[in-house]
Amino acid sequence: MDMKLDPSRDDLPLLANTSHILVKHYVLDLDVDFESQVIEGTIVLFFEPGNRFEKEGGSTEETCQSEANEACKFRMPEPCHIPVTDTRTFSSKVGCHDFVICGKGEKDTSGKDGNHDNREQASGISSSEYCCDTGNAGSEDFLLVLDCCDLSVVKVEEVDVAAVPGIEKFTRPPKLRNQIVRELVALPADRWREQLDCYARCSQAPGCGELLFDTDTWSLQIRKTGAQTATDFPHAIRIRYRTKPQGRSVTWTSDQSGRPCVYTMGSPINNRALFPCQEPPVAMSTWQATVRAAASFVVLMSGENSAKPTQLREGCSSWHYYVTMPMPASTFTIAVGSWTEMKPETCSSNDLATERSFSPSEADFRYAGICGHMEYPCRFQNASATTQEIIPHRVFAPLCLQGACQETLLPLVPACLAAAHSVLGTHPFSRLDVLIVPANFPSLGMASPHIIFLSQSTLPGRSHLCGTRLCHEIAHAWFGLALGARDWTEEWLSEGFATHLEDVFWARAQQLAPHEAQEQQELRAGLRWRRLQDEVQNSPKEMQVLRPNKEKTGHVSDSGSSVIKHGLNPEKVFMQVHYLKGYFLLRFLAQRLGDDTYFSFLRKFVHTYHGQLILSQDFLQMLLENIPEEKRLELSVENIFRDWLESSGIPQPLQRERQAGAECGLARQVSAEVAKWVRVNRRPRKRKRRETEEVFEELLPDQLVLLLEHLLEQKTLSPRTLQSLERTYRLPEQDAEVRHRWCELVVKHRHTGAYRHVERFLQEDQAMGIYLYGELMVSEDARQQRLARRCFELSREHMDRSSAQVVAEMLF
């Protein structure tokens, strides 16, 4: 079953057999050990058979061996009516240390499991000597396949949910375990607290028989002797495991204050090196997690509740989170570190943060009717939630960034949340945490349910970069999380929408007049056009296609497994084609239909499809069905597929639009400033006394980016001109986008007096510094190459793995 992929080059396999059986809920019970850089504990999975499981064959008898029952007597807290916020008190008293924690590179020699020897295989994954032969086609046992990588699996067992006191309410005698789980999974949404509590109590139940398991590079395979179908297979299993320090789903590093931390960084392999799971997006599940760490650490996680620590013993605290909205396991996020909650010093009525009410016409986005998703406690059906402009939110960061957070980030969060509500209506999630992550975070931001990671690079300079990036990540609450792509190759359905909406949200947050908003959006469109042209010139054609599987998009094998094209290509992380082409398609549609028609439709689309997975045709077909015939203007799903989604390069409609379009006013102002700098650069060192000094206009951050990009096209700029440029716009104090272009100018013209700015950027702005390494090496200047290698040596130990791999290929 091992696919022998080259993880540096090939596609990403999703091997879970989701067509046969689906995880409905995860209960994680974990300990975080910074000394060994290991997360260990248990995960309990609750299943229901999928839509293609075999219906033939007999059912295995659901009884525990009598001696197992005697050996596993279990005292449980009494009733299921205990509030879910107290479920953390049910964390296993066995604790996180009931098997040996191995240090780096050590093998587990605890030998506690009689069912396997836990030997280390060549792949680095533990295995069982009693595991089934996955290549044995004659086997009649059902095989559960979970996505799993870089984990040491110690034990897998069936959970005796029938042993939980009070559980008999879910089924008639005899108490069949699978029937109990089926009833528990099927509880109506208004009983979610009771359901979560019972999941937690069932997760504490004793085991009633170990299951046979095997692992390979990409999966964990589990079977029960005699269970021939998914219906017969245990519907509740417990897996005891631990992560590995080199596992690719989490990063162990230090924060900006030098304190240890660990977090999920959006790895290409998602969460399969954090816990065994079903990775395909169709496997939408809920989860709850109890995480223990030293009392000095704060645990943040994807969760509906704002968790508070519970003191367990001296020096150790426990945190409990849960979610009730089913989502793919890939969206689960955790961050453990010495984070400090940032709070504003004062509140000002003139602040962007001022809570304000939009007009009733803007705020009234409620649609009658029942939601189309599987049942869960949905905010779109909650009258108070639909009018909540600003959801509860917190900001966390290392203490050393407190000043920057208070000055830049804190005032923006409520303003951007309110702006998003004014455009799309109901916030899909009930609360939000924002965390400034360590310097090695490989992008400017990442959105997960209830939590956003932001790079420290968003904080310096004026609020523009921080605001636009925050708006981008907030947009993912709707597009990417509440509405997800059914086929991950259609990344544009997440990133294209977020890129288009960030401009709209940011204009609302700034309370710009319509003409100002239009000007800023046209300027940003021009910058993205330049970026897209560069991208298609410098990337493989096959990676420029937004719908690479064409008519096979969304198709999976009979088992539910599939492959994500280019999912493991390290360079894909740094490509923006899905952002840019997706953005331009949506901008094209909004212009054709008019903003009022387009955004009215978008709100209706969100209400129709939230909580569900979509394909491109779902969006396009509903769009064309909901607009007047006269506005379709020969648009069709087939034409959009052909022109925008299934071809590489620049889409022809976009090419025609950019050729016919004129510069916006803000871009023309930049062109005038460029002309001034060209004149300054041409002047001799000794000038005539009466020669008029150039007067330069103050520019917006996006204008500064465009100015520097135009100046990069100049063949030579003198050191004197570069020094004047730096002083005039205080470039080292600007945001990271501006400073990145400034560093490019410094490198191109070998402006040694500003090399310190390049070094600082490579150290502090790792989310954006990859391209600079390339520029330093391409120059073939020995001093610049030494600078690049020196900065890399200082950063590589903590650098994101994909980033380090790409940079190493540039340097050596």
Side-chain angles (χ1 to χ4, degrees), residues 27 59 241 286 351 410 450 486 515 619 724:
V27 180
S59 174
Y241 74 97
T286 53
D351 242 345
L410 281 173
H450 309 283
R486 185 146 61 94
H515 72 279
F619 170 73
S724 180

Side-chain angles (χ1 to χ4, degrees), residues 226-293:
Q228 297 180 355
T229 70
T231 305
D232 301 334
F233 189 82
H235 286 16
I237 68 171
R238 181 185 295 114
I239 302 171
R240 181 167 292 280
Y241 74 97
R242 64 174 173 274
T243 65
K244 297 188 174 184
Q246 70 274 22
R248 285 169 277 175
S249 291
V250 297
T251 290
W252 299 87
T253 187
S254 299
D255 67 16
Q256 291 85 343
S257 298
R259 296 179 177 180
C261 61
V262 60
Y263 68 100
T264 47
M265 79 303 250
S267 166
I269 68 165
N270 299 308
N271 283 322
R272 67 181 71 185
L274 177 59
F275 58 90
C277 58
Q278 290 183 330
E279 285 270 315
V282 69
M284 297 173 70
S285 59
T286 53
W287 59 75
Q288 57 190 304
T290 299
V291 178
R292 290 170 292 279

